[in-house]
Structures are given as C-alpha cells and as structure tokens.
Amino acid sequence: NNAGIIIAGSIDQIGVDDLNYVLDVNIRGVTNGVQAAYPLMKEQGFGHIVNTSSMASLIPNGEGFSAYGTSKYAVIGLSLNLRVEAARHGVYVSALCPGVIDTPILKECGGKYGKSKSGLSQEAIDNFLDKIYASRFHPMAPTKFAAKTLKLVGKNKPIIIVPGWPWEMVYFWYRIFPSLD
C-alpha cells in the first residue's frame, strides 16, 4: 500500500495548498488502500497489509521535509493502531520504512508529481544526490529492496526498515539521543 510525493521546502515556503496536497496523497492514498483491502481480508480471516511509510517518519530529515515527514508519521500511526485492531481478525499490518531507495522520488525534486519550493536549483539538488550515491547511505536498487522487504514481511514485523544497515542503527541512536537531531 504505497503512496508518496515530496514537496520540499519549509512549511511557510510550501503554503497551505501544497501541504494539503502532500497530506492528501501520502495519508489519504494509504487510508484509501486500507479501506479497500481491509474489509476483504477481515471477511476471509487472513491477510497482510503493508503500508509504505519512510525513515522520515522515524527520524527528522532536516529542513525542508516537514510536510513529508508529517505525512509519513501518520502512516506509522495508522499502521500500528490498525495492527492491534486487525490482529483479532487474522490480519497482519506492518509499516514499511525505506531508507534511501533508487526510485524517482529521489530525483526531479521529489518525483513526477513532487516539487521543490526550497529555492535550490536542480543542479544543487543533483550535487546533493551525487553525494548520497557516493556515501554509505547510497540508494539501494529496487529489486534488492523488494527481495529484502518480502523476507521481512514474512516475519510479520510491526515496523520494517530496509535497508537495515545503516538505517536501523540511525533509528536506534535517535531513540536513545533524540536531541542529536
């Protein structure tokens, strides 16, 4: 169950309309998927809903990503609460929190439907992405991501972080030392 766009920029830069757009796609896209699938799974007595959130829901991502992080944090809340509700009906629920995956959302200012209002040029964004690709946090290939994710879905974890290294460690340290943002 996957829906996501990024409109980068501080809250005052993106404005109300763009903030609502991010929330509509990233939250309501997921809730619409849940509303479509959950009643069927509940009726049949089994199933597994995997809602795509983001590492941005678990750790702050810095200036310019408050709207995105807020929307993905709501997906975590939905997933963890629905997990408790659905368990008695034989339905599992997990929240998938990808690290950096090599998908279009990384490029073109947040993918086909995203945009940047941060004032950064496409060249500056591309230079930043080049640094990410060259770092330890380099993006994982989508096929490798899918294989690892499916294995972890089979373990019915409430929160699935892929790739595990280094993102599970970053999340662990953030929970212990939240002031180190």
Side-chain angles (χ1 to χ4, degrees):
N1 192 10
N2 183 45
I5 61 161
I6 296 173
I7 297 181
S10 63
I11 291 294
D12 61 321
Q13 287 173 321
I14 66 171
V16 173
D17 290 341
D18 285 330
L19 176 60
N20 285 336
Y21 182 53
V22 170
L23 298 177
D24 281 345
V25 172
N26 296 5
I27 299 170
R28 290 181 185 89
V30 171
T31 59
N32 289 340
V34 167
Q35 292 289 358
Y38 180 56
L40 300 171
M41 291 180 180
K42 189 174 158 183
E43 183 178 315
Q44 69 189 13
F46 66 93
H48 197 142
I49 296 171
V50 181
N51 294 320
T52 304
S53 183
S54 171
M55 283 305 297
S57 68
L58 301 176
I59 58 173
N61 281 258
E63 188 174 338
F65 294 97
S66 293
Y68 181 75
T70 297
S71 68
K72 292 302 184 174
Y73 190 81
V75 173
I76 290 281
L78 168 67
S79 301
L80 295 178
N81 284 284
L82 182 59
R83 182 177 175 87
V84 172
E85 176 184 320
R88 65 187 168 105
H89 301 290
V91 179
Y92 302 130
V93 180
S94 298
L96 175 60
C97 296
V100 182
I101 311 302
D102 192 9
T103 64
I105 203 165
L106 288 179
K107 301 167 187 142
E108 305 160 16
C109 296
K112 183 177 179 181
Y113 300 102
K115 57 187 164 183
S116 176
K117 296 213 166 176
S118 65
L120 292 174
S121 68
Q122 187 61 49
E123 182 181 359
I125 293 168
D126 290 343
N127 288 337
F128 175 73
L129 289 173
D130 288 344
K131 289 178 185 174
I132 290 176
Y133 277 87
S135 75
R136 295 180 133 198
F137 295 87
H138 64 277
M140 178 181 268
T143 52
K144 188 174 181 181
F145 170 77
K148 287 186 175 257
T149 297
L150 287 174
K151 284 181 184 177
L152 293 171
V153 168
K155 295 181 179 182
N156 188 29
K157 294 176 74 172
I159 296 176
I160 300 169
I161 299 173
V162 178
W165 173 259
W167 296 105
E168 286 178 340
M169 186 61 64
V170 171
Y171 178 48
F172 172 80
W173 283 108
Y174 179 72
R175 286 181 295 164
I176 293 174
F177 301 107
S179 62
L180 295 178
D181 57 353

